Amino acid sequence: MAVLVRASAAEIEDLLGALALPAGEDLRQPENGLVMVRGRIGGDGAAFNLGEATVSRAAVRLPGGEVGFGYTLGRDRAKARLIARCDALLQTDQADAIETKVLAPLRVRIAAEQACRAEQTAATKVDFYTLVRGE
Amino acid sequence: MYVAVKGGERAIDNAHRLLAHARRGERAVPEISLEQISEQLSLGVDRVMVEGSLYDRELAALAIKQARGDLIEAIFLLRAFRATLPRFGATLPLDTGAMAVRRRISSTFKDIPGGQILGPTFDYTHRLLDPALAENSDPELPATAAPSDAPMPRVTDILGRDGLIEGSPAADDDAIVGDLTRDPLSFPADRDLRLQNLARGDEGFLLSLAYSSQRGYGRNHPFAGEIRFGEVELEFFAEDAGFAVPLGPIALTETQMVNQFKGSATEAPCFTRGYGLAFGQSERKAMAMALVDRALRARELGEEAEAPAQDEEFVMSHSDNVQATGFVEHLKLPHYVDFQSELGLLRRLRQDFEDKAADAPLKEAAE
């Protein structure tokens, strides 16, 4: 799920579409809403309300009865539905196919981007050195 | 009797049509896209998300475009939009300690574990206008270096281990978290409500208050214990699924201010702290927030509260720029009847004054 929420709807759809798996029916119509984002006072203390974020959610039931839930930041309802579908399919005998054909390529793409960003960030780390003056 | 005066519909319609034309600007110039605003005016987008109190880059970019770059108008648009959506609930409190850091500095310790990481910052630039940017620019790609796996503990956690700094207020996850979007403000307000208010408060207002507290209006000259910016994973407990689901990463800036000591007969003196947290890369906002948060703790810490930055009713009642602009700008609306009544009163007062002036010489003569 942490992989799917970082992917775009088009990406998931392309990878999932290639597998010709059951679409399932909407148990909950994909919808937009808000969540209140909570922080902690001092970073580690009691909670406080920071502000809201848009989210989309959906629930899908497959012909076999498996139910999947999809939640994601943003207002892309199609993406929430695709995540719900993946969640449901992961409970079927297609789980391996989802893992290797959908999640694995996304994981690679996301890990590469994160690594690139981490390397760019690391180059801005300060290396202190000392100048010795006089004797 | 009340007489409603109607009219102006045609003028209003045409004014809005003219506004759309003015917003578009010279039509020979290519129209700006939401992607361009989001990618190239990203700190403006961050500010609109922070003060609009809604994390959605695309909507904030749309609001900026619609508002012709007037950020307070854009913030107003975002606040109005959020009222149209249902709220599914609250996220689990986010863990800034697990942030994928893109910038992290401390002005208290040179050698903090994880190091000083400058990231994309205006600091150390010479603030000279760059004529090269007047043309299309193609900056060189960022330098890279091998990232370290060393953990980056919050600086306050390091100080906390030796008891040199006060702890954060204890987390009680069953406690009700105050929400000023649901309940009207009342005073005294607890720190959770104060932080929510400051988080959506106007950056300029908080900046000035923070500055005033540094200059002596509420003795408050802290160290920037730590400023960090990066992405944090959001999680939400989904009732239907029955477990916490990841929602995706959001960008955040966190500031920990370290202030002078507090101690008592039973407690050893320790540093006190102020806290700031904001969506996106919003460093000035998060720093000002942390300074004002600390100033507002005067009552709790037994300090004299005489300066504006220490007065929670003053700060919290005036920090919201949507409320402020609503009240200031409402003066533009027709006040014809109010003004007529004031005009009538003024004429009566002037008549009285003139009558008295005319009477005075007569009285003198009679005496």
Side-chain angles (χ1 to χ4, degrees):
Chain A
M1 299 289 234
V3 175
L4 292 170
V5 292
R6 287 170 176 267
S8 72
E11 270 182 307
I12 306 173
E13 188 152 31
D14 283 352
L15 294 166
L16 202 56
L19 295 179
L21 295 170
E25 53 166 355
D26 287 333
L27 198 62
R28 163 183 274 149
Q29 284 289 330
E31 61 175 334
N32 292 146
L34 301 170
V35 290
M36 176 55 89
V37 177
R38 288 207 169 139
R40 289 191 182 280
I41 301 171
D44 58 352
F48 72 97
N49 289 315
L50 176 64
E52 287 165 308
T54 54
V55 284
S56 303
R57 70 177 173 188
V60 167
R61 180 164 49 206
L62 297 181
E66 296 86 357
V67 172
F69 300 96
Y71 281 80
T72 182
L73 281 175
R75 286 164 297 113
D76 191 342
R77 289 188 288 254
K79 180 175 160 186
R81 195 176 184 285
L82 286 164
I83 294 173
R85 208 175 140 211
C86 289
D87 182 43
L89 287 164
L90 280 167
Q91 301 163 46
T92 67
D93 56 5
Q94 296 297 321
D96 282 350
I98 298 292
E99 177 58 43
T100 56
K101 300 275 167 51
V102 180
L103 300 184
L106 289 174
R107 206 171 274 134
V108 170
R109 198 267 292 160
I110 292 162
E113 274 179 17
Q114 286 174 333
C116 174
R117 188 172 269 189
E119 286 168 4
Q120 292 172 353
T121 302
T124 68
K125 183 171 165 180
V126 179
D127 288 320
F128 289 104
Y129 57 91
T130 313
L131 280 178
V132 181
R133 296 181 65 200
E135 288 148 53
Chain B
M1 187 176 63
Y2 178 74
V3 183
V5 181
K6 300 283 286 176
E9 285 93 342
R10 188 187 46 80
I12 290 169
D13 284 347
N14 287 341
H16 290 168
R17 200 162 138 184
L18 186 58
L19 168 69
H21 177 71
R23 174 190 299 126
R24 177 61 184 85
E26 170 56 54
R27 296 194 193 214
V29 175
E31 187 168 354
I32 194 167
S33 72
L34 299 192
E35 289 78 13
Q36 286 171 332
I37 295 172
S38 180
E39 291 296 312
Q40 296 170 42
L41 300 177
S42 54
L43 301 188
V45 171
D46 286 345
R47 179 166 179 189
V48 170
M49 294 198 300
V50 170
E51 294 168 35
S53 202
L54 184 66
Y55 193 93
D56 189 314
R57 293 199 72 82
E58 196 183 41
L59 285 178
L62 173 62
I64 290 172
K65 180 173 176 178
Q66 187 176 332
R68 306 175 65 193
D70 178 340
L71 297 190
I72 291 183
E73 181 73 19
I75 288 159
F76 199 160
L77 291 169
L78 215 56
R79 290 271 187 95
F81 176 85
R82 71 156 278 282
T84 65
L85 287 179
R87 192 191 285 177
F88 296 158
T91 67
L92 304 184
L94 39 86
D95 179 9
T96 51
M99 179 181 280
V101 165
R102 297 183 60 198
R103 169 167 166 79
R104 187 268 202 135
I105 54 164
S106 169
S107 68
T108 51
F109 295 111
K110 181 165 67 71
D111 298 309
I112 38 173
Q116 308 266 358
I117 294 167
L118 302 182
T121 178
F122 293 124
D123 296 354
Y124 315 108
T125 63
H126 294 110
R127 266 76 184 207
L128 297 173
L129 277 175
D130 179 3
L133 282 175
E135 303 296 324
N136 284 340
S137 63
D138 187 16
E140 50 179 340
L141 289 173
T144 56
S148 115
D149 292 331
M152 285 192 209
R154 286 180 290 249
V155 166
T156 43
D157 296 349
I158 302 169
L159 282 169
R161 260 177 245 146
D162 299 328
L164 292 171
I165 196 164
E166 59 170 347
S168 298
D172 172 6
D173 288 340
D174 294 329
I176 292 170
V177 182
D179 186 354
L180 54 82
T181 66
R182 295 293 162 96
D183 303 305
L185 274 180
S186 63
F187 301 101
D190 287 336
R191 197 165 168 207
D192 54 351
L193 275 175
R194 297 202 303 256
L195 284 171
Q196 184 183 11
N197 178 279
L198 297 179
R200 55 201 260 137
D202 183 76
E203 180 173 312
F205 179 72
L206 297 186
L207 179 67
S208 294
L209 282 173
Y211 180 43
S212 74
S213 77
Q214 283 180 287
R215 287 193 66 251
Y217 291 86
R219 204 173 62 89
N220 188 358
H221 198 109
F223 298 95
E226 182 175 349
I227 297 162
R228 57 168 65 195
F229 155 63
E231 269 105 42
V232 176
E233 206 74 46
L234 260 193
E235 283 191 307
F236 175 69
F237 185 84
E239 299 268 337
D240 48 6
F243 51 85
V245 293
L247 294 176
I250 64 168
L252 289 167
T253 305
E254 180 187 56
T255 302
Q256 307 267 5
M257 290 291 177
V258 176
N259 291 61
Q260 271 193 354
F261 332 113
K262 182 207 174 221
S264 65
T266 53
E267 280 177 74
C270 61
F271 285 115
T272 59
R273 53 206 275 187
Y275 187 67
L277 188 64
F279 292 145
Q281 187 173 8
S282 307
E283 206 161 286
R284 188 185 304 113
K285 167 64 187 264
M287 291 181 78
M289 175 176 172
L291 280 163
V292 178
D293 171 48
R294 175 59 185 78
L296 288 176
R297 295 181 60 210
R299 185 168 38 87
E300 170 198 343
L301 294 171
E303 298 165 342
E304 279 181 52
E306 290 166 336
Q310 296 170 311
D311 181 337
E312 65 181 35
E313 189 163 347
F314 176 77
V315 173
M316 293 176 73
S317 302
H318 301 109
S319 64
D320 191 301
N321 55 25
V322 176
Q323 283 172 8
T325 201
F327 204 45
V328 169
E329 292 200 52
H330 102 282
L331 296 174
K332 291 185 290 193
L333 297 176
H335 284 67
Y336 307 140
V337 177
D338 293 344
F339 190 68
Q340 277 302 320
S341 79
E342 299 244 330
L343 207 54
L345 178 61
L346 179 64
R347 285 195 173 119
R348 262 206 325 279
L349 290 171
R350 288 174 67 90
Q351 189 62 55
D352 290 351
F353 176 81
E354 279 160 24
D355 290 351
K356 267 186 203 144
D359 284 351
L362 289 177
K363 255 185 200 167
E364 270 169 35
E367 280 163 10

